[in-house]
Amino acid sequence: MGLYTRQLIASFAALSVLAVSPASLFAAVPAPVEGKNGMVVTAQHLATDVGVEVLKAGGNAVDAAVAVAYTLAVTYPTAGNIGGGGFMTLRMADGRTDFLDFREKAPLAATKTMYLDDKGEIVPRASLDGYLAVGTPGTVKGLELAREKYGSKDRATLMAPAIALARDGFTLTQGDASILAGGAKRLAKDPEAAKIFLKSDGTPYGEGEVLKQPDLARVLGEISAKGPDAFYKGFAADSIVKASEAGKGILTKADFEQYKVREFKPVECDYRGYHIISSPPPSSGGVIICEILNILEAYPLASQGYGAASTVSQMAEAMRYAYVDRNAALGDPDFVKNPLPKMLDKAYAAEIRQKIDPGKAGKSADLKPFGGKESTETTHFSILDGKGNAVSVTYTLNGSFGAGVVAPGTGILLNNEMDDFTSKPGVPNLYGLVQGEANAIAPQKTPLSSMSPTIITRDGKPFMVIGSPGGSRIITITLEAILNVVDFGMDISMAVNAPRIHHQWQPDKIFYEPYALSPDTIKLLQSMGYTLDGGNDGPVWGQAAGILVGGKSLAEIDKAGAKATGMFGAIDARAVAGSAKGY
Ligand code: GLY
């Protein structure tokens, strides 16, 4: 270690001692919400209310999750859906864990080069707008499998609130209205979407106005009465296929008929005595969270402090190495062999640490894989019931309002998940991810995801339920909420609200949210060779939704010891329409 490096480390140590404590930095965040018998945290307040009512009526966390997901499809159309897909991580009170993959699949007629022109160049926005961008949706079958296998209530009971909200409408809050306004320009391009989400004068519905979705209510009613076949073999599938054919898409009835939900064993790893249960491929989320945690475990993050240059540098290096693995090696497990044993091995993390030069920025261009632009879309919700059943769900249409199209008469916004595939190796997607062959397009293949619905246990009991939207940043947002609780001692509200940093190998820079880094820290990081991208004018990052069990923070839980009770929830203040509610 050179003199300069030693001086830098000494200055980090000094800065850490002087660092302002997280408590004073984030004292202004709302206090976590307390519940004794259950907790629901979602990005839309009406969906949260529905989830709590299901728990109060004796439903378990899975029942509540099914009801919440259908409600979000009505009240949070930017990401809530039945025309998209997602993941559910479960840990039941008896210790069983499961991971349901109801993410979209590429249509049977999809090809590796479907988004390239004659010259082999990407056709701009072909994988983002309109029917060619749509993958076969999985949400309806996923929710039904969850309910049948783990729930306790009938389908009609769980879907009734969503159907009523679609049929009778709901009054938009300022947050709800601002989300609709954000999509107005895009929704105006599709006559059917415009008919639903815009007024007759073409302007979006505003605060205090009522949004009704009668077509969606009818489709939800059919699903409620007849089950998923009403979607996959009935009017919805027929109408979507017809509209897709008219709109240069490639979806067929066979795509809908052959769609299957998959169940996988979650990815699991241990970090400083906490057991992480998260998403396996076709998500990269859990694997990359674990790889980063394994690398960081040897660093004294707690004493260095949140936001210290040393901490940020170590996090950025761990992220750099993990994302190069993500982008090069991972894909749908039915199509590629994912090197999980290696990526999850603590010895591999130690090998990576050997390559990290303390106090010096690595270079992404030098990393050889062994194997952007940002959006806040997608949505995550966390639920815990009084028995200790924990459910963590992230589901999505991909971009905001998905492909921006609704098949006539269905009321269903369709996803643009096909953009999560590698359209062309080496060319960034919506999230700026530069990916490889493992994630190339193939018929019935699921695109690699970053969604990271996560449950954490300690001593065999639920400790934390966490996840976030945020495109490629989902992984680091979820990771940082965990570090904020475990290493930096924040309460669950501070943990989801604290400003974040992000590195994803390419582009080779540390992205940071407003106030994440002080001017002094930025200077230190620049002197180490980092390029930084952030400041006070960037977009809002993903909205985490978290629950902590037994106390507001780790200190409170540890102080209470065996007497620790209750559950504490927090929705990120970045979620303008969200809420956490316990009972
Ligand atoms: N569509 C975002 C993700 O799945 O990661």
Side-chain angles (χ1 to χ4, degrees), residues 271-272 288 291-293 295-297 299 301 304-323 356 475-484 487-488 499-505 510-511 516-517 525 528 530 541:
Y271 177 71
R272 303 195 201 279
I288 299 306
E291 184 173 337
I292 296 173
L293 288 174
I295 298 167
L296 293 178
E297 199 167 31
Y299 297 125
L301 300 186
Q304 289 171 182
Y306 166 89
S310 52
T311 299
V312 173
S313 164
Q314 289 153 356
M315 285 167 65
E317 293 308 319
M319 291 171 186
R320 181 198 309 280
Y321 277 91
Y323 269 82
I356 296 173
I475 298 170
T476 52
I477 293 169
T478 306
L479 168 93
E480 286 170 58
I482 298 169
L483 298 179
N484 289 345
D487 290 282
F488 304 126
R500 307 142 176 159
I501 64 115
H502 173 77
H503 198 300
Q504 59 179 42
W505 171 53
I510 297 175
F511 296 92
L517 303 173
L525 288 164
M528 293 161 81
Y530 288 103
W541 292 20

Short mmCIF file of all heavy atoms in Angstrom, two decimals, residues 271-272 288 291-293 295-297 299 301 304-323 356 475-484 487-488 499-505 510-511 516-517 525 528 530 541:
data_model
loop_
_atom_site.label_atom_id
_atom_site.label_comp_id
_atom_site.label_asym_id
_atom_site.label_seq_id
_atom_site.Cartn_x
_atom_site.Cartn_y
_atom_site.Cartn_z
N TYR A 271 -25.19 -12.47 5.37
CA TYR A 271 -24.41 -11.24 5.49
C TYR A 271 -24.44 -10.78 6.95
O TYR A 271 -25.50 -10.45 7.47
CB TYR A 271 -25.03 -10.17 4.59
CG TYR A 271 -24.35 -8.81 4.68
CD1 TYR A 271 -23.07 -8.61 4.15
CD2 TYR A 271 -24.98 -7.73 5.29
CE1 TYR A 271 -22.46 -7.38 4.23
CE2 TYR A 271 -24.36 -6.48 5.38
CZ TYR A 271 -23.09 -6.32 4.85
OH TYR A 271 -22.47 -5.09 4.92
N ARG A 272 -23.30 -10.82 7.58
CA ARG A 272 -23.15 -10.37 8.97
C ARG A 272 -24.23 -10.93 9.90
O ARG A 272 -24.84 -10.21 10.70
CB ARG A 272 -23.19 -8.83 9.04
CG ARG A 272 -22.13 -8.13 8.19
CD ARG A 272 -22.01 -6.68 8.60
NE ARG A 272 -21.42 -5.83 7.58
CZ ARG A 272 -20.12 -5.69 7.32
NH1 ARG A 272 -19.24 -6.38 8.00
NH2 ARG A 272 -19.69 -4.87 6.38
N ILE A 288 -27.02 -10.67 -7.56
CA ILE A 288 -26.09 -9.53 -7.55
C ILE A 288 -26.09 -8.86 -6.17
O ILE A 288 -25.04 -8.42 -5.68
CB ILE A 288 -26.44 -8.54 -8.68
CG1 ILE A 288 -26.30 -9.25 -10.02
CG2 ILE A 288 -25.56 -7.30 -8.66
CD1 ILE A 288 -24.96 -9.92 -10.26
N GLU A 291 -23.79 -11.13 -4.28
CA GLU A 291 -22.38 -10.97 -4.69
C GLU A 291 -21.81 -9.68 -4.10
O GLU A 291 -20.70 -9.66 -3.56
CB GLU A 291 -22.26 -10.97 -6.23
CG GLU A 291 -20.81 -10.91 -6.70
CD GLU A 291 -20.64 -11.07 -8.21
OE1 GLU A 291 -21.51 -11.64 -8.89
OE2 GLU A 291 -19.59 -10.61 -8.72
N ILE A 292 -22.58 -8.60 -4.16
CA ILE A 292 -22.08 -7.33 -3.61
C ILE A 292 -21.93 -7.42 -2.09
O ILE A 292 -20.91 -6.98 -1.53
CB ILE A 292 -23.04 -6.16 -4.00
CG1 ILE A 292 -23.04 -5.97 -5.52
CG2 ILE A 292 -22.61 -4.86 -3.31
CD1 ILE A 292 -24.08 -4.97 -6.02
N LEU A 293 -22.92 -8.01 -1.42
CA LEU A 293 -22.82 -8.14 0.05
C LEU A 293 -21.61 -8.98 0.43
O LEU A 293 -20.90 -8.67 1.40
CB LEU A 293 -24.10 -8.76 0.62
CG LEU A 293 -25.35 -7.88 0.62
CD1 LEU A 293 -26.57 -8.67 1.08
CD2 LEU A 293 -25.18 -6.64 1.50
N ILE A 295 -18.84 -9.24 -1.13
CA ILE A 295 -17.61 -8.42 -1.28
C ILE A 295 -17.51 -7.42 -0.13
O ILE A 295 -16.45 -7.24 0.48
CB ILE A 295 -17.62 -7.68 -2.65
CG1 ILE A 295 -17.64 -8.67 -3.81
CG2 ILE A 295 -16.41 -6.74 -2.75
CD1 ILE A 295 -17.95 -8.05 -5.17
N LEU A 296 -18.64 -6.80 0.21
CA LEU A 296 -18.61 -5.72 1.22
C LEU A 296 -18.43 -6.23 2.65
O LEU A 296 -18.02 -5.47 3.53
CB LEU A 296 -19.92 -4.91 1.15
CG LEU A 296 -20.12 -4.08 -0.13
CD1 LEU A 296 -21.47 -3.37 -0.07
CD2 LEU A 296 -18.99 -3.05 -0.31
N GLU A 297 -18.71 -7.51 2.86
CA GLU A 297 -18.73 -8.04 4.23
C GLU A 297 -17.39 -7.84 4.95
O GLU A 297 -17.36 -7.68 6.18
CB GLU A 297 -19.09 -9.53 4.21
CG GLU A 297 -19.57 -10.05 5.54
CD GLU A 297 -20.23 -11.42 5.43
OE1 GLU A 297 -19.82 -12.21 4.54
OE2 GLU A 297 -21.16 -11.70 6.20
N TYR A 299 -15.40 -5.31 4.70
CA TYR A 299 -15.07 -3.89 4.92
C TYR A 299 -15.83 -3.36 6.16
O TYR A 299 -16.99 -3.71 6.37
CB TYR A 299 -15.47 -3.04 3.72
CG TYR A 299 -14.74 -3.38 2.44
CD1 TYR A 299 -15.43 -3.70 1.28
CD2 TYR A 299 -13.34 -3.36 2.38
CE1 TYR A 299 -14.77 -4.01 0.10
CE2 TYR A 299 -12.67 -3.66 1.20
CZ TYR A 299 -13.40 -3.99 0.06
OH TYR A 299 -12.74 -4.29 -1.10
N LEU A 301 -17.87 -1.13 7.13
CA LEU A 301 -18.77 -0.07 6.66
C LEU A 301 -19.34 0.73 7.83
O LEU A 301 -19.46 1.96 7.74
CB LEU A 301 -19.93 -0.67 5.85
CG LEU A 301 -19.58 -1.46 4.58
CD1 LEU A 301 -20.86 -1.84 3.84
CD2 LEU A 301 -18.67 -0.67 3.66
N GLN A 304 -16.79 3.18 9.15
CA GLN A 304 -16.47 4.19 8.13
C GLN A 304 -17.62 5.18 8.01
O GLN A 304 -17.40 6.38 7.88
CB GLN A 304 -16.25 3.51 6.77
CG GLN A 304 -14.97 2.71 6.69
CD GLN A 304 -14.87 1.88 5.41
OE1 GLN A 304 -13.91 1.18 5.25
NE2 GLN A 304 -15.84 1.93 4.52
N GLY A 305 -18.85 4.65 8.02
CA GLY A 305 -20.03 5.52 8.01
C GLY A 305 -20.71 5.62 6.66
O GLY A 305 -20.07 5.46 5.61
N TYR A 306 -22.00 5.88 6.72
CA TYR A 306 -22.82 6.12 5.51
C TYR A 306 -22.26 7.33 4.78
O TYR A 306 -21.97 8.37 5.39
CB TYR A 306 -24.26 6.39 5.95
CG TYR A 306 -25.14 6.97 4.86
CD1 TYR A 306 -25.83 6.14 4.00
CD2 TYR A 306 -25.25 8.35 4.69
CE1 TYR A 306 -26.63 6.66 3.00
CE2 TYR A 306 -26.05 8.88 3.69
CZ TYR A 306 -26.74 8.04 2.85
OH TYR A 306 -27.51 8.56 1.85
N GLY A 307 -22.07 7.21 3.47
CA GLY A 307 -21.68 8.36 2.66
C GLY A 307 -20.21 8.71 2.74
O GLY A 307 -19.77 9.64 2.06
N ALA A 308 -19.41 8.02 3.56
CA ALA A 308 -17.98 8.30 3.61
C ALA A 308 -17.36 7.91 2.27
O ALA A 308 -17.82 6.96 1.61
CB ALA A 308 -17.32 7.51 4.74
N ALA A 309 -16.31 8.60 1.87
CA ALA A 309 -15.69 8.31 0.57
C ALA A 309 -15.21 6.86 0.52
O ALA A 309 -15.33 6.19 -0.52
CB ALA A 309 -14.55 9.28 0.31
N SER A 310 -14.66 6.37 1.63
CA SER A 310 -14.20 4.98 1.65
C SER A 310 -15.37 4.03 1.40
O SER A 310 -15.27 3.09 0.60
CB SER A 310 -13.56 4.66 3.01
OG SER A 310 -14.45 5.02 4.05
N THR A 311 -16.48 4.27 2.07
CA THR A 311 -17.67 3.42 1.92
C THR A 311 -18.17 3.47 0.48
O THR A 311 -18.44 2.43 -0.14
CB THR A 311 -18.79 3.90 2.87
OG1 THR A 311 -18.31 3.81 4.20
CG2 THR A 311 -20.05 3.09 2.72
N VAL A 312 -18.28 4.68 -0.06
CA VAL A 312 -18.81 4.84 -1.42
C VAL A 312 -17.89 4.15 -2.42
O VAL A 312 -18.34 3.46 -3.35
CB VAL A 312 -18.99 6.33 -1.76
CG1 VAL A 312 -19.38 6.51 -3.23
CG2 VAL A 312 -20.04 6.96 -0.85
N SER A 313 -16.59 4.30 -2.22
CA SER A 313 -15.63 3.67 -3.12
C SER A 313 -15.76 2.14 -3.07
O SER A 313 -15.80 1.46 -4.11
CB SER A 313 -14.22 4.11 -2.73
OG SER A 313 -13.27 3.27 -3.32
N GLN A 314 -15.83 1.59 -1.87
CA GLN A 314 -15.95 0.12 -1.75
C GLN A 314 -17.26 -0.37 -2.36
O GLN A 314 -17.30 -1.39 -3.04
CB GLN A 314 -15.87 -0.28 -0.27
CG GLN A 314 -14.48 -0.12 0.30
CD GLN A 314 -14.48 0.12 1.81
OE1 GLN A 314 -15.53 0.25 2.43
NE2 GLN A 314 -13.28 0.20 2.39
N MET A 315 -18.34 0.39 -2.12
CA MET A 315 -19.62 -0.01 -2.70
C MET A 315 -19.55 0.05 -4.23
O MET A 315 -20.02 -0.87 -4.92
CB MET A 315 -20.74 0.91 -2.20
CG MET A 315 -21.15 0.63 -0.75
SD MET A 315 -22.18 1.94 -0.03
CE MET A 315 -23.64 1.83 -1.04
N ALA A 316 -18.97 1.12 -4.74
CA ALA A 316 -18.91 1.27 -6.21
C ALA A 316 -18.06 0.16 -6.83
O ALA A 316 -18.43 -0.38 -7.88
CB ALA A 316 -18.32 2.64 -6.56
N GLU A 317 -16.96 -0.21 -6.18
CA GLU A 317 -16.12 -1.27 -6.75
C GLU A 317 -16.86 -2.61 -6.72
O GLU A 317 -16.82 -3.38 -7.68
CB GLU A 317 -14.79 -1.37 -6.00
CG GLU A 317 -13.88 -0.16 -6.17
CD GLU A 317 -13.65 0.21 -7.63
OE1 GLU A 317 -13.47 -0.69 -8.48
OE2 GLU A 317 -13.67 1.43 -7.94
N ALA A 318 -17.53 -2.89 -5.59
CA ALA A 318 -18.29 -4.15 -5.50
C ALA A 318 -19.38 -4.18 -6.57
O ALA A 318 -19.59 -5.20 -7.24
CB ALA A 318 -18.89 -4.29 -4.10
N MET A 319 -20.05 -3.04 -6.75
CA MET A 319 -21.10 -2.97 -7.78
C MET A 319 -20.50 -3.17 -9.18
O MET A 319 -21.06 -3.88 -10.01
CB MET A 319 -21.81 -1.62 -7.71
CG MET A 319 -22.67 -1.43 -6.47
SD MET A 319 -23.27 0.29 -6.33
CE MET A 319 -24.07 0.25 -4.73
N ARG A 320 -19.36 -2.55 -9.43
CA ARG A 320 -18.72 -2.65 -10.75
C ARG A 320 -18.47 -4.13 -11.10
O ARG A 320 -18.83 -4.60 -12.18
CB ARG A 320 -17.38 -1.91 -10.72
CG ARG A 320 -16.62 -1.91 -12.05
CD ARG A 320 -15.13 -1.58 -11.86
NE ARG A 320 -14.85 -0.38 -11.09
CZ ARG A 320 -14.90 0.88 -11.58
NH1 ARG A 320 -15.23 1.07 -12.83
NH2 ARG A 320 -14.61 1.90 -10.80
N TYR A 321 -17.87 -4.86 -10.16
CA TYR A 321 -17.54 -6.27 -10.42
C TYR A 321 -18.80 -7.13 -10.55
O TYR A 321 -18.88 -8.04 -11.37
CB TYR A 321 -16.62 -6.82 -9.33
CG TYR A 321 -15.17 -6.47 -9.57
CD1 TYR A 321 -14.62 -5.30 -9.05
CD2 TYR A 321 -14.37 -7.29 -10.35
CE1 TYR A 321 -13.31 -4.95 -9.29
CE2 TYR A 321 -13.04 -6.96 -10.59
CZ TYR A 321 -12.51 -5.78 -10.06
OH TYR A 321 -11.22 -5.45 -10.32
N ALA A 322 -19.80 -6.84 -9.72
CA ALA A 322 -21.01 -7.67 -9.76
C ALA A 322 -21.81 -7.41 -11.04
O ALA A 322 -22.35 -8.33 -11.64
CB ALA A 322 -21.86 -7.41 -8.52
N TYR A 323 -21.88 -6.14 -11.46
CA TYR A 323 -22.68 -5.83 -12.66
C TYR A 323 -22.03 -6.37 -13.93
O TYR A 323 -22.73 -6.70 -14.90
CB TYR A 323 -22.95 -4.32 -12.78
CG TYR A 323 -24.24 -3.90 -12.09
CD1 TYR A 323 -24.27 -3.67 -10.72
CD2 TYR A 323 -25.42 -3.74 -12.80
CE1 TYR A 323 -25.44 -3.28 -10.08
CE2 TYR A 323 -26.60 -3.36 -12.17
CZ TYR A 323 -26.60 -3.13 -10.81
OH TYR A 323 -27.78 -2.75 -10.18
N ILE A 356 -9.39 -5.17 -5.91
CA ILE A 356 -9.80 -3.79 -5.62
C ILE A 356 -8.66 -3.08 -4.91
O ILE A 356 -8.17 -3.56 -3.90
CB ILE A 356 -11.09 -3.76 -4.77
CG1 ILE A 356 -12.25 -4.37 -5.57
CG2 ILE A 356 -11.42 -2.34 -4.31
CD1 ILE A 356 -13.54 -4.56 -4.77
N ILE A 475 -31.49 -3.16 -7.96
CA ILE A 475 -30.56 -3.99 -7.18
C ILE A 475 -29.84 -3.14 -6.13
O ILE A 475 -29.78 -3.50 -4.95
CB ILE A 475 -29.52 -4.65 -8.13
CG1 ILE A 475 -30.23 -5.57 -9.11
CG2 ILE A 475 -28.43 -5.37 -7.34
CD1 ILE A 475 -29.35 -6.08 -10.25
N THR A 476 -29.32 -2.00 -6.55
CA THR A 476 -28.52 -1.20 -5.60
C THR A 476 -29.43 -0.44 -4.62
O THR A 476 -29.04 -0.20 -3.48
CB THR A 476 -27.58 -0.24 -6.36
OG1 THR A 476 -28.33 0.51 -7.31
CG2 THR A 476 -26.48 -1.01 -7.07
N ILE A 477 -30.64 -0.11 -5.05
CA ILE A 477 -31.57 0.55 -4.12
C ILE A 477 -31.94 -0.44 -3.00
O ILE A 477 -31.93 -0.09 -1.82
CB ILE A 477 -32.83 1.04 -4.87
CG1 ILE A 477 -32.49 2.18 -5.83
CG2 ILE A 477 -33.92 1.48 -3.88
CD1 ILE A 477 -33.60 2.56 -6.80
N THR A 478 -32.25 -1.67 -3.38
CA THR A 478 -32.60 -2.70 -2.38
C THR A 478 -31.39 -2.98 -1.49
O THR A 478 -31.50 -3.03 -0.26
CB THR A 478 -33.07 -3.98 -3.10
OG1 THR A 478 -34.12 -3.63 -4.00
CG2 THR A 478 -33.57 -5.02 -2.12
N LEU A 479 -30.24 -3.15 -2.11
CA LEU A 479 -28.99 -3.38 -1.36
C LEU A 479 -28.75 -2.28 -0.35
O LEU A 479 -28.43 -2.52 0.83
CB LEU A 479 -27.82 -3.43 -2.35
CG LEU A 479 -26.44 -3.38 -1.73
CD1 LEU A 479 -25.92 -4.79 -1.51
CD2 LEU A 479 -25.45 -2.59 -2.56
N GLU A 480 -28.89 -1.02 -0.78
CA GLU A 480 -28.56 0.10 0.11
C GLU A 480 -29.55 0.21 1.27
O GLU A 480 -29.17 0.60 2.37
CB GLU A 480 -28.43 1.39 -0.70
CG GLU A 480 -27.12 1.38 -1.48
CD GLU A 480 -26.96 2.47 -2.52
OE1 GLU A 480 -27.04 3.65 -2.17
OE2 GLU A 480 -26.75 2.13 -3.70
N ALA A 481 -30.81 -0.17 1.02
CA ALA A 481 -31.77 -0.18 2.15
C ALA A 481 -31.31 -1.20 3.19
O ALA A 481 -31.41 -0.96 4.40
CB ALA A 481 -33.17 -0.52 1.64
N ILE A 482 -30.78 -2.33 2.73
CA ILE A 482 -30.28 -3.36 3.67
C ILE A 482 -29.06 -2.82 4.43
O ILE A 482 -28.99 -2.91 5.66
CB ILE A 482 -29.92 -4.66 2.90
CG1 ILE A 482 -31.17 -5.25 2.22
CG2 ILE A 482 -29.29 -5.69 3.86
CD1 ILE A 482 -30.87 -6.38 1.22
N LEU A 483 -28.11 -2.25 3.70
CA LEU A 483 -26.90 -1.70 4.36
C LEU A 483 -27.29 -0.60 5.35
O LEU A 483 -26.72 -0.50 6.44
CB LEU A 483 -25.93 -1.11 3.32
CG LEU A 483 -25.34 -2.05 2.27
CD1 LEU A 483 -24.43 -1.28 1.33
CD2 LEU A 483 -24.58 -3.21 2.91
N ASN A 484 -28.27 0.21 4.97
CA ASN A 484 -28.67 1.33 5.84
C ASN A 484 -29.20 0.84 7.19
O ASN A 484 -28.98 1.47 8.22
CB ASN A 484 -29.73 2.19 5.15
CG ASN A 484 -29.16 3.00 3.99
OD1 ASN A 484 -27.95 3.13 3.87
ND2 ASN A 484 -30.02 3.52 3.13
N ASP A 487 -25.84 -1.96 8.59
CA ASP A 487 -24.51 -1.37 8.85
C ASP A 487 -24.60 0.04 9.43
O ASP A 487 -23.77 0.41 10.25
CB ASP A 487 -23.70 -1.33 7.55
CG ASP A 487 -23.28 -2.71 7.11
OD1 ASP A 487 -22.33 -3.26 7.68
OD2 ASP A 487 -23.93 -3.27 6.21
N PHE A 488 -25.58 0.82 8.96
CA PHE A 488 -25.57 2.24 9.34
C PHE A 488 -26.61 2.57 10.40
O PHE A 488 -26.73 3.74 10.80
CB PHE A 488 -25.74 3.12 8.09
CG PHE A 488 -24.70 2.83 7.04
CD1 PHE A 488 -25.06 2.52 5.74
CD2 PHE A 488 -23.34 2.83 7.36
CE1 PHE A 488 -24.10 2.23 4.78
CE2 PHE A 488 -22.37 2.54 6.40
CZ PHE A 488 -22.76 2.23 5.11
N PRO A 499 -30.55 9.18 0.50
CA PRO A 499 -30.06 9.28 -0.87
C PRO A 499 -29.03 8.20 -1.21
O PRO A 499 -28.30 7.74 -0.34
CB PRO A 499 -29.43 10.67 -0.94
CG PRO A 499 -29.50 11.25 0.40
CD PRO A 499 -30.26 10.36 1.31
N ARG A 500 -29.00 7.80 -2.47
CA ARG A 500 -28.24 6.60 -2.86
C ARG A 500 -27.17 6.89 -3.89
O ARG A 500 -27.22 7.91 -4.58
CB ARG A 500 -29.20 5.57 -3.46
CG ARG A 500 -30.39 5.24 -2.61
CD ARG A 500 -31.59 5.08 -3.48
NE ARG A 500 -32.76 4.66 -2.70
CZ ARG A 500 -33.99 4.82 -3.13
NH1 ARG A 500 -34.24 5.39 -4.29
NH2 ARG A 500 -34.99 4.45 -2.38
N ILE A 501 -26.30 5.90 -4.03
CA ILE A 501 -25.33 5.92 -5.13
C ILE A 501 -25.54 4.66 -5.96
O ILE A 501 -26.17 3.70 -5.49
CB ILE A 501 -23.87 6.01 -4.62
CG1 ILE A 501 -23.50 4.75 -3.80
CG2 ILE A 501 -23.67 7.25 -3.76
CD1 ILE A 501 -22.44 3.93 -4.44
N HIS A 502 -25.00 4.66 -7.16
CA HIS A 502 -25.18 3.49 -8.04
C HIS A 502 -24.02 3.42 -9.03
O HIS A 502 -23.61 4.42 -9.60
CB HIS A 502 -26.50 3.63 -8.81
CG HIS A 502 -26.72 2.58 -9.85
ND1 HIS A 502 -27.10 1.29 -9.54
CD2 HIS A 502 -26.61 2.61 -11.21
CE1 HIS A 502 -27.23 0.59 -10.66
NE2 HIS A 502 -26.93 1.37 -11.68
N HIS A 503 -23.51 2.18 -9.23
CA HIS A 503 -22.53 1.92 -10.29
C HIS A 503 -22.97 0.64 -10.97
O HIS A 503 -23.41 -0.30 -10.31
CB HIS A 503 -21.13 1.76 -9.68
CG HIS A 503 -20.03 1.92 -10.69
ND1 HIS A 503 -19.90 1.13 -11.80
CD2 HIS A 503 -19.00 2.81 -10.75
CE1 HIS A 503 -18.84 1.52 -12.51
NE2 HIS A 503 -18.28 2.56 -11.88
N GLN A 504 -22.92 0.58 -12.30
CA GLN A 504 -23.36 -0.64 -12.99
C GLN A 504 -22.35 -1.10 -14.04
O GLN A 504 -22.74 -1.61 -15.08
CB GLN A 504 -24.75 -0.44 -13.58
CG GLN A 504 -24.88 0.68 -14.59
CD GLN A 504 -26.30 0.81 -15.14
OE1 GLN A 504 -27.28 0.71 -14.43
NE2 GLN A 504 -26.40 1.00 -16.46
N TRP A 505 -21.07 -0.92 -13.75
CA TRP A 505 -19.97 -1.31 -14.63
C TRP A 505 -19.86 -0.37 -15.84
O TRP A 505 -18.88 0.33 -15.98
CB TRP A 505 -20.10 -2.79 -15.08
CG TRP A 505 -19.13 -3.20 -16.14
CD1 TRP A 505 -17.77 -3.07 -16.11
CD2 TRP A 505 -19.43 -3.81 -17.41
NE1 TRP A 505 -17.21 -3.57 -17.27
CE2 TRP A 505 -18.21 -4.03 -18.09
CE3 TRP A 505 -20.61 -4.20 -18.03
CZ2 TRP A 505 -18.14 -4.61 -19.36
CZ3 TRP A 505 -20.53 -4.80 -19.30
CH2 TRP A 505 -19.31 -5.00 -19.94
N ILE A 510 -19.91 6.76 -11.05
CA ILE A 510 -20.79 6.63 -9.89
C ILE A 510 -21.94 7.62 -10.08
O ILE A 510 -21.72 8.83 -10.16
CB ILE A 510 -20.06 6.96 -8.57
CG1 ILE A 510 -18.91 5.98 -8.32
CG2 ILE A 510 -21.04 6.94 -7.39
CD1 ILE A 510 -18.06 6.30 -7.09
N PHE A 511 -23.17 7.08 -10.17
CA PHE A 511 -24.35 7.94 -10.19
C PHE A 511 -24.72 8.23 -8.73
O PHE A 511 -24.57 7.36 -7.87
CB PHE A 511 -25.53 7.24 -10.87
CG PHE A 511 -25.30 6.95 -12.32
CD1 PHE A 511 -24.76 5.73 -12.74
CD2 PHE A 511 -25.61 7.90 -13.28
CE1 PHE A 511 -24.53 5.47 -14.08
CE2 PHE A 511 -25.39 7.64 -14.64
CZ PHE A 511 -24.85 6.42 -15.03
N ALA A 516 -26.62 12.87 -1.73
CA ALA A 516 -26.00 11.60 -1.34
C ALA A 516 -24.53 11.83 -0.98
O ALA A 516 -23.99 11.14 -0.10
CB ALA A 516 -26.11 10.58 -2.45
N LEU A 517 -23.89 12.77 -1.65
CA LEU A 517 -22.46 13.00 -1.44
C LEU A 517 -22.22 14.49 -1.17
O LEU A 517 -22.72 15.34 -1.90
CB LEU A 517 -21.67 12.59 -2.68
CG LEU A 517 -21.85 11.13 -3.15
CD1 LEU A 517 -21.15 10.91 -4.48
CD2 LEU A 517 -21.31 10.17 -2.10
N LEU A 525 -13.52 11.52 -3.86
CA LEU A 525 -13.76 10.44 -4.83
C LEU A 525 -13.13 10.79 -6.18
O LEU A 525 -12.56 9.92 -6.85
CB LEU A 525 -15.27 10.18 -4.98
CG LEU A 525 -15.92 9.49 -3.77
CD1 LEU A 525 -17.44 9.61 -3.80
CD2 LEU A 525 -15.53 8.01 -3.70
N MET A 528 -9.62 10.05 -6.23
CA MET A 528 -9.35 8.61 -6.35
C MET A 528 -9.52 8.14 -7.80
O MET A 528 -9.26 6.98 -8.11
CB MET A 528 -10.33 7.84 -5.45
CG MET A 528 -10.10 8.09 -3.97
SD MET A 528 -11.54 7.64 -2.96
CE MET A 528 -11.34 5.90 -2.83
N TYR A 530 -12.54 8.63 -9.68
CA TYR A 530 -13.93 8.35 -10.08
C TYR A 530 -14.52 9.48 -10.91
O TYR A 530 -14.25 10.66 -10.64
CB TYR A 530 -14.82 8.13 -8.85
CG TYR A 530 -14.56 6.82 -8.16
CD1 TYR A 530 -13.81 6.78 -6.98
CD2 TYR A 530 -15.02 5.63 -8.71
CE1 TYR A 530 -13.54 5.57 -6.36
CE2 TYR A 530 -14.75 4.42 -8.09
CZ TYR A 530 -14.02 4.39 -6.92
OH TYR A 530 -13.75 3.19 -6.31
N TRP A 541 -35.15 8.58 -8.16
CA TRP A 541 -34.85 7.15 -8.29
C TRP A 541 -36.01 6.32 -7.75
O TRP A 541 -36.97 6.86 -7.21
CB TRP A 541 -33.55 6.82 -7.56
CG TRP A 541 -32.32 7.42 -8.19
CD1 TRP A 541 -32.28 8.48 -9.04
CD2 TRP A 541 -30.97 7.00 -8.00
NE1 TRP A 541 -30.98 8.76 -9.40
CE2 TRP A 541 -30.15 7.86 -8.77
CE3 TRP A 541 -30.36 6.00 -7.25
CZ2 TRP A 541 -28.77 7.73 -8.82
CZ3 TRP A 541 -28.98 5.88 -7.30
CH2 TRP A 541 -28.19 6.73 -8.08
#
